[in-house]
């Protein structure tokens, strides 16, 4: 039996022991073996990380955009060069296939860091001008300072990069708390920044929810950012409000795929199913609700069930989440039908069968609440207005898609859908140049794109007399 790795915090450019003795077992979700033991960092550990970040900001916050660009480009190269280490570390914690991590998080993540490197030199502002006679004004865009960040377990490396990339590009320093179930790839990332980022610019503290709360409520950060559940996002917003910190919240989703009668079923079923079950549905943009015109409902379901029969998904991330998803599947309302799946797969690990459920009602928890697993519901609609009501009739507003061959329908729907992203005849592709973020209970603030970098800046008006 392999001895579990003992993990340590990364503070001021080195690994350091946490001050306390309490630890968390990090479990491989494939076989439920303990692969690492992670400390539960307390206030003293958070204080040390914040002090390091604050000291580092004095110089990093005044570096030129070109200096930050060079550092981020070097970091992107280092991420690719350490792909094998990152993949091995993350796979132990998530059970994701190695190739998926390499392709979707390492390669894509390095590309996203390269985008942020360029964005560091492309921040926009108004040109200087005389807006009052005898005075000249200009706008300075500055980093906000120290940023506290909390990342989730579904894409540990990618979510860390989405957080640190724009913050570093804008000139901020960071204290990041990764999920307690998936800390290892974030620690590899921190270690490879040695010699690329000045000590103290990026700090990682390990721990549980209380550790994350200590990061968020600490008086040092000027801004806090989280990717996580609605419940966690509300807690962060409340804590941030107590001392008027800025908050950046990327929360859950309940994405609809709206399939019209003229959609090409041969070209829509597979990508919709893939967008529902990729990463075992542990994706806030995943298709969770398929809304199909009543005239093609049965044909679509038949094709979806046939396709799903051949889908293989990785395990759910942890035992608590596994219990939540299986409990939901054990409580399917009697008016609904499990067309395929609906059960645990095997007797070892946290695997759940890809599941399609039909006959649900709009007010069912299956429709209204985020499952975050390989579960998709199917509802029928009568016309465009009905489709819009069903699609928008949830508290989330992160992502959606429209499937139609009619341009006018697609255009109307892209306006009517109350979601931060609307895909047309596709679902789930993301590019670094475009913003990612939602409305309503899906939070506020944007990841990726130039908007993401701007979120980590503040605006200062400078006016001088010309006389």
């Amino acid at each position: 039996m392999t001895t579990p790795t003992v993990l340590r915090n990364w503070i001021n450019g080195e690994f350091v022991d946490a001050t306390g003795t309490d630890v968390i077992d990090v479990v491989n979700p494939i076989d439920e073996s303990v692969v690492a033991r992670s400390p539960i960092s307390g206030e003293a550990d958070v204080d040390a990380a914040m002090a390091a970040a604050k000291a580092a900001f004095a110089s990093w916050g005044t570096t030129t955009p070109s200096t930050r660009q060079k550092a981020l480009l070097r970091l992107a190269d280092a991420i690719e060069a350490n792909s094998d280490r990152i993949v091995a570390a993350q796979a132990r914690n998530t059970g994701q296939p190695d190739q998926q991590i390499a392709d979707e998080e390492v390669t894509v993540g390095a590309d996203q860091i390269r985008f942020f490197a360029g964005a560091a030199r492309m921040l926009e502002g108004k040109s200087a001008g005389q807006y009052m006679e005898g005075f000249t004004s200009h706008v300075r865009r500055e980093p906000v300072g120290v940023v506290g960040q909390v990342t989730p377990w579904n894409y540990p490396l990618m979510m860390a990069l989405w957080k640190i990339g724009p913050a570093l590009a804008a000139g901020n320093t960071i204290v990041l708390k990764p999920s307690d179930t998936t800390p290892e790839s974030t620690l590899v990332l921190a270690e490879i920044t040695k010699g690329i980022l000045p000590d103290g610019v990026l700090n990682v503290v390990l721990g549980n929810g209380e550790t994350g709360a200590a990061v968020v409520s600490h008086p040092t950060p000027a801004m806090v950012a989280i990717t996580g559940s609605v419940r966690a996002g509300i807690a962060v917003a409340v804590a941030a409000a107590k001392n008027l910190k800025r908050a950046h919240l990327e929360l859950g989703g309940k994405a609809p795929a709206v399939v019209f009668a003229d959609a090409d079923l041969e070209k829509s079923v597979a990508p919709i199913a893939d967008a529902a079950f990729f990463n075992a549905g542990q994706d806030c943009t995943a298709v969770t609700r398929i809304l199909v015109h009543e005239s093609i409902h049965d044909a679509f379901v038949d094709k979806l069930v046939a396709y799903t029969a051949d889908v293989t998904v990785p395990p759910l991330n942890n035992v608590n989440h596994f219990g939540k998803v299986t409990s939901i599947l054990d409580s399917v309302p009697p008016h609904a039908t499990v067309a395929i799946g609906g059960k645990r797969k095997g007797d070892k690990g946290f695997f759940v069968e890809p599941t399609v459920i039909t006959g649900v009602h709009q007010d069912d928890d299956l429709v209204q609440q985020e499952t975050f697993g390989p579960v998709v519901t199917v509802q029928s609609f009568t016309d465009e207005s009905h489709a819009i009501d069903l699609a928008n009739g949830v508290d989330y507003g992160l992502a959606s898609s429209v499937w139609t061959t009619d341009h006018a329908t697609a255009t109307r729907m892209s306006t009517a859908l109350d979601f931060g992203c609307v895909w047309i005849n596709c679902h789930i592709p993301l590019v670094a140049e475009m913003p990612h973020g939602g409305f309503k209970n899906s939070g506020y603030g944007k990841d990726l794109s130039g908007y993401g970098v701007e979120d980590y800046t503040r605006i200062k008006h400078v006016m001088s007399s010309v006389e």
Side-chain angles (χ1 to χ4, degrees):
M1 180 178 292
T2 303
T3 302
T5 304
V6 177
L7 306 181
R8 306 166 77 197
N9 293 329
W10 179 262
I11 298 176
N12 204 29
E14 62 180 358
F15 285 115
V16 296
D17 291 325
T19 55
T21 58
D22 292 338
V23 297
I24 300 169
D25 286 343
V26 180
V27 174
N28 186 322
I30 291 177
D31 59 12
E32 302 180 52
S33 62
V34 177
V35 296
R37 290 198 165 91
S38 176
I40 300 178
S41 298
E43 290 186 5
D45 306 300
V46 175
D47 285 343
M50 292 294 177
K54 184 176 181 179
F57 179 71
S59 56
W60 180 254
T62 58
T63 54
T64 62
S66 64
T67 298
R68 299 195 296 273
Q69 180 192 43
K70 290 174 184 176
L72 288 172
L73 290 174
R74 289 179 61 199
L75 177 57
D77 291 343
I79 290 169
E80 290 180 331
N82 286 272
S83 178
D84 290 347
R85 290 183 61 204
I86 293 170
V87 169
Q90 184 154 307
R92 288 193 296 269
N93 295 178
T94 64
Q96 296 166 310
D98 288 0
Q99 198 62 50
Q100 175 185 319
I101 300 170
D103 292 345
E104 301 295 334
E105 298 198 45
V106 175
T107 300
V108 172
D111 176 71
Q112 290 165 343
I113 291 296
R114 291 189 179 103
F115 168 81
F116 289 123
R121 303 180 69 167
M122 293 295 291
L123 288 171
E124 296 180 359
K126 289 184 176 180
S127 61
Q130 291 194 23
Y131 302 97
M132 179 182 290
E133 187 174 349
F135 298 88
T136 294
S137 291
H138 71 272
V139 172
R140 287 181 56 88
R141 188 180 289 277
E142 301 176 338
V144 297
V146 177
V147 179
Q149 300 179 328
V150 179
T151 53
W153 44 254
N154 57 331
Y155 299 108
L157 176 70
M158 182 181 292
M159 295 297 97
L161 295 178
W162 282 20
K163 288 290 179 283
I164 72 168
L168 294 174
N172 301 282
T173 57
I174 298 165
V175 175
L176 186 149
K177 205 289 277 186
S179 169
D180 56 353
T181 65
T182 58
E184 290 195 74
S185 59
T186 303
L187 290 177
V188 175
L189 172 65
E191 185 180 11
I192 66 177
T193 66
K194 184 71 174 179
I196 297 174
L197 298 176
D199 292 348
V201 169
L202 174 64
N203 307 275
V204 177
V205 290
L206 307 178
N208 57 13
E210 292 183 1
T211 309
V215 169
V216 169
S217 62
H218 197 277
T220 294
M223 177 178 175
V224 290
I226 181 176
T227 297
S229 67
V230 174
R231 176 190 55 79
I234 291 172
V236 168
V238 170
K242 291 180 179 179
N243 52 6
L244 298 180
K245 288 183 177 71
R246 289 168 58 175
H248 174 115
L249 310 176
E250 199 278 277
L251 309 178
K254 198 68 181 175
V258 184
V259 185
F260 284 89
D262 63 347
D264 187 331
L265 295 190
E266 299 302 324
K267 294 182 179 180
S268 62
V269 170
I272 289 174
D274 291 342
F277 300 131
F278 183 77
N279 203 42
Q282 298 171 124
D283 189 312
C284 51
T285 63
V287 171
T288 60
R289 300 179 293 139
I290 304 175
L291 311 178
V292 188
H293 190 268
E294 59 185 3
S295 65
I296 60 168
H297 174 273
D298 292 351
F300 185 95
V301 169
D302 288 345
K303 290 181 179 295
L304 178 64
V305 168
Y307 186 87
T308 301
D310 295 325
V311 170
T312 300
V313 299
L316 299 179
N317 178 256
N318 58 79
V319 66
N320 290 335
H321 187 55
F322 175 73
K324 171 195 167 186
V325 174
T326 53
S327 176
I328 290 170
L329 292 176
D330 289 341
S331 304
V332 174
H335 55 261
T337 299
V338 177
I340 189 170
K343 301 186 297 297
R344 176 179 187 168
K345 185 175 182 180
D347 56 7
K348 192 73 170 178
F350 308 136
F351 294 90
V352 171
E353 296 174 336
T355 301
V356 176
I357 302 176
T358 63
V360 293
H361 296 168
Q362 183 69 8
D363 59 355
D364 288 342
D365 283 348
L366 277 168
V367 172
Q368 293 294 323
Q369 303 301 320
E370 187 175 38
T371 303
F372 218 59
V375 180
V376 66
T377 61
V378 184
Q379 296 168 267
S380 64
F381 65 85
T382 55
D383 57 24
E384 189 173 313
S385 177
H386 187 206
I388 293 169
D389 287 344
L390 293 177
N392 290 342
V394 295
D395 290 334
Y396 299 91
L398 183 60
S400 60
S401 61
V402 179
W403 301 78
T404 178
T405 56
D406 183 73
H407 176 75
T409 299
T411 301
R412 290 192 303 272
M413 290 296 293
S414 66
T415 300
L417 289 171
D418 194 15
F419 297 85
C421 178
V422 180
W423 285 291
I424 298 173
N425 292 326
C426 57
H427 193 113
I428 230 168
L430 293 168
V431 292
E433 293 84 355
M434 291 292 111
H436 172 81
F439 310 142
K440 300 190 292 188
N441 278 10
S442 292
Y444 45 81
K446 297 297 182 184
D447 290 319
L448 301 177
S449 79
Y451 298 103
V453 181
E454 289 179 0
D455 273 0
Y456 288 92
T457 66
R458 65 184 190 181
I459 300 299
K460 178 186 289 182
H461 168 217
V462 179
M463 176 180 274
S464 59
S465 172
V466 298
E467 296 179 356

